[in-house]
Amino acid sequence: MKQNVELREMDGYRVYLLGHLRDHYFPQYTNKKFVDARVDEAYDTFVTLRLEGHDPVIAQEMAMRTLLAGLYVSRYDIVYSVIEESLWTRLPEEYWPDFAVHLLTKKSVHDILDRYEVNGDFLDRETHQPMLTELLGEISEILDGYEL
């Protein structure tokens, strides 16, 4: 019985993590070793905190933080937000997700994201707006090249 509860809890973490990685286009989505390790870490966090007497809600919250550490803001999220907030008049809404994925194939977009160290963690408030401004300029130039 105990093993069934453990497997069910770990499966819940796995399903949540895979959905998050897929929906936000994190490259780790296809990395089984990464997913397995992260699920194990999250479950271990939960069990350790429960054994220490912490409330289940707190243990679950800390396990989710472990599960998603460094996976808060994807490059896709940043590019999509620029499209959604600044280019909504130039592209129909149904194109936004695919266009954001397309932009992530562009070296110039990755160069900007690399320069601002977009790596999945929360963004530095001081550099966030300059990065968005630079991305908007680059994406606008790409769109102009497509005559959109």
Side-chain angles (χ1 to χ4, degrees):
M1 180 69 173
K2 180 182 175 193
Q3 188 171 7
N4 287 342
V5 171
E6 180 178 316
L7 290 175
R8 189 171 47 240
E9 189 71 29
M10 291 179 76
D11 283 345
Y13 290 140
R14 182 176 314 286
V15 167
Y16 187 90
L17 179 60
L18 285 171
H20 181 77
L21 295 172
R22 178 196 63 232
D23 293 348
H24 297 275
Y25 294 90
F26 280 101
Q28 295 93 328
Y29 177 68
T30 58
N31 186 335
K32 184 178 177 350
K33 286 182 182 178
F34 173 84
V35 171
D36 290 345
R38 191 57 69 94
V39 167
D40 287 344
E41 289 172 31
Y43 185 72
D44 288 348
T45 298
F46 179 81
V47 170
T48 299
L49 290 171
R50 287 298 294 138
L51 289 172
E52 291 173 357
H54 293 278
D55 184 84
V57 173
I58 292 178
Q60 181 65 16
E61 174 63 26
M62 297 309 293
M64 293 304 288
R65 288 183 186 192
T66 299
L67 189 69
L68 298 176
L71 301 170
Y72 296 107
V73 179
S74 71
R75 290 173 172 235
Y76 171 84
D77 294 332
I78 299 298
V79 170
Y80 186 90
S81 73
V82 169
I83 295 167
E84 180 181 41
E85 294 172 13
S86 302
L87 299 169
W88 57 272
T89 59
R90 293 188 69 181
L91 285 172
E93 186 173 350
E94 61 268 17
Y95 293 170
W96 297 352
D98 290 337
F99 189 60
V101 170
H102 170 69
L103 289 171
L104 290 173
T105 67
K106 302 292 183 185
K107 184 180 180 330
S108 60
V109 171
H110 275 284
D111 287 347
I112 294 168
L113 295 171
D114 288 345
R115 194 166 41 259
Y116 289 96
E117 299 177 358
V118 175
N119 62 9
D121 286 326
F122 288 109
L123 300 174
D124 181 352
R125 291 181 186 192
E126 293 176 10
T127 61
H128 185 71
Q129 192 55 52
M131 177 196 60
L132 293 178
T133 302
E134 194 171 339
L135 269 175
L136 175 58
E138 182 60 32
I139 294 169
S140 293
E141 284 184 27
I142 292 168
L143 276 173
D144 290 346
Y146 296 145
E147 297 179 6
L148 295 174

